[in-house]
Amino acid sequence: MTASPPIPDTERARVQRRTVAVLGAGQVLGGVAFGATLSLGAVLAADVSGDDALSGLATAAVTLGTAAVAIPLAALARRAGRRVSLTTGTAGALAGVVGVIVAASFGSFPFLLAAFLLIGAGQAANLQSRFAAADLATDATRGRDLSLVVWATTVGAVLGPNLAGPGETVGAALGMPPLTGAYVFTIVAQVLAIVLYLSALRPDPLALAIRLDTAATRGSGRTIAGPDRPGLARYAIFAVAASHVVMVSVMAMTPVHLLHHGADLVIVGLTLSLHIAGMYAAAPLFGILADRWGRVRTILLGQGILASSLVLASVGSESTSAVTVALVLLGLGWSAATVSGAALLTEASTEDRRTRRQGISDFAMSFVGALGAIGAGIVLSAIGYGGLALVVGLAVIATTVFAVLVRTDRVERVKGRAGAGA
């Protein structure tokens, strides 16, 4: 006589819906810190250091902090669950935000960079949230559920940069250092996110997924995780990282390029806003496509969109309108590749390997993004914006070729098993 499963499928579906809603709300709150840092970090770094050339180190520090924390945070999720992991990352961001205000008060640039590194922990938690949305999802809904959490990032990413004006009013009333007032709203948002995760992320989605898979292994139910497919998992990690480095490299240099070609700050801000909308707003569409059309196909669709973006950016580099359209396509291509890549990585990994690979993916994504942002400036200086677009196109080509090799290897292994059984 077999034991009954820990929970029926209908209850698991209910828990999954609740989990996605909680994670989406957490993304909105967590995104406020990252959005505010994107808009104010470079200005603060230049102000505290006294050197405009050091302004880019703020974003670089956040990105490197994200990379440094990604794997440990994934390991913590495996040991203690998503609730503890996401809370820890968000608490790190909260400490970082407080550190930014203190560093600005004392005019300490090294301490400011250390604070931005801590804010990276919150970004690592935001990245992990999309995997948390996939813990209890089925193959039929994994892409959609994951993409809904990614979509929620839109709110925080758009809201954060717009807090600078109101923040300065609040900061002045509180006697805070210049340029730090917006972080008051960020502190409130991070505290609310911590309370949300601790109180509402119950049952813990990863802990419950492990229970269900353990029960299935013992013959009492259907497993969530399928067979381990390391080749597809490696491809998913590569595709996400490659697509990210393409996006970051071009996006990071676009403001500089536009300003040098006569665009004003309003046009630059509009271009980046449309780019961010492309990154996040269409995520549910690509999630549904990944579920219905296939993960690898949707990744390749993303590569096609990225390729069209890079070609347009190269041939239309002198046109502000062309560059703006290219940035929108850049965001859309990134969205298609990262949403479907995350879903592919999750379902290509058995339960005992899943969280570690997810941490590796987030580390790779953040690390190559930091390298891309740094290297893009060098390439831009050497061969211009159009040349930069063509150089990073090599990553798109590699992702496309790798997909063919993975599929070929998969077909050969299937044929080999069939021949062995004949």
Side-chain angles (χ1 to χ4, degrees), residues 161 194 375 390 415:
I194 290 172
L390 295 179
K415 287 182 178 178

Side-chain angles (χ1 to χ4, degrees), residues 11 25 82 85 245 320 322 400 405:
E11 177 65 11
R82 299 290 189 190
S85 179
V245 77
T320 299
T400 304
L405 294 176

Side-chain angles (χ1 to χ4, degrees), residues 107-197:
S108 173
F109 186 62
F111 192 77
L112 180 69
L113 292 183
F116 282 134
L117 283 169
L118 280 175
I119 290 178
Q123 178 65 1
N126 286 351
L127 289 176
Q128 191 182 121
S129 290
R130 72 196 196 284
F131 289 123
D135 286 335
L136 291 170
T138 64
D139 289 349
T141 64
R142 184 169 290 115
R144 183 202 65 189
D145 292 350
L146 187 152
S147 67
L148 289 174
V149 173
V150 174
W151 174 85
T153 308
T154 310
V155 181
V158 172
L159 179 62
N162 289 294
L163 294 176
E168 282 305 288
T169 302
V170 173
L174 296 176
M176 295 174 64
L179 303 174
T180 63
Y183 286 106
V184 172
F185 301 119
T186 302
I187 289 174
V188 174
Q190 300 312 290
V191 170
L192 291 175
I194 290 172
V195 172
L196 176 71
Y197 289 139

Side-chain angles (χ1 to χ4, degrees), residues 194-216:
I194 290 172
V195 172
L196 176 71
Y197 289 139
L198 288 176
S199 62
L201 202 58
R202 297 174 182 273
D204 189 282
L206 182 57
L208 180 55
I210 292 173
R211 281 174 51 207
L212 291 172
D213 279 315
T214 300

Side-chain angles (χ1 to χ4, degrees), residues 263-329:
D264 58 25
L265 290 175
V266 174
I267 295 298
V268 172
L270 175 62
T271 299
L272 292 181
S273 295
L274 292 173
H275 168 68
I276 292 172
M279 288 175 63
Y280 298 117
L285 169 63
F286 294 122
I288 293 170
L289 274 179
D291 288 336
R292 297 183 179 180
W293 198 37
R295 319 301 188 202
V296 176
R297 285 182 177 180
T298 308
I299 290 174
L300 292 177
L301 172 64
Q303 301 313 299
I305 299 174
L306 287 175
S308 64
S309 165
L310 297 177
V311 170
L312 181 59
S314 181
V315 301
S317 60
E318 302 300 317
S319 167
T320 299
S321 299
V323 170
T324 300
V325 173
L327 261 286
V328 173
L329 291 173

Side-chain angles (χ1 to χ4, degrees), residues 10 28 34 53 70 90 95 114 131 136 153 181 213 235 254 273 278 310-311 321 356 361 363 366 370 372 409:
T10 53
V28 172
F34 192 64
T90 305
F131 289 123
L136 291 170
T153 308
D213 279 315
Y235 175 70
T254 297
S273 295
L310 297 177
V311 170
S321 299
R356 180 175 181 275
S361 179
F363 165 79
S366 301
D409 178 65

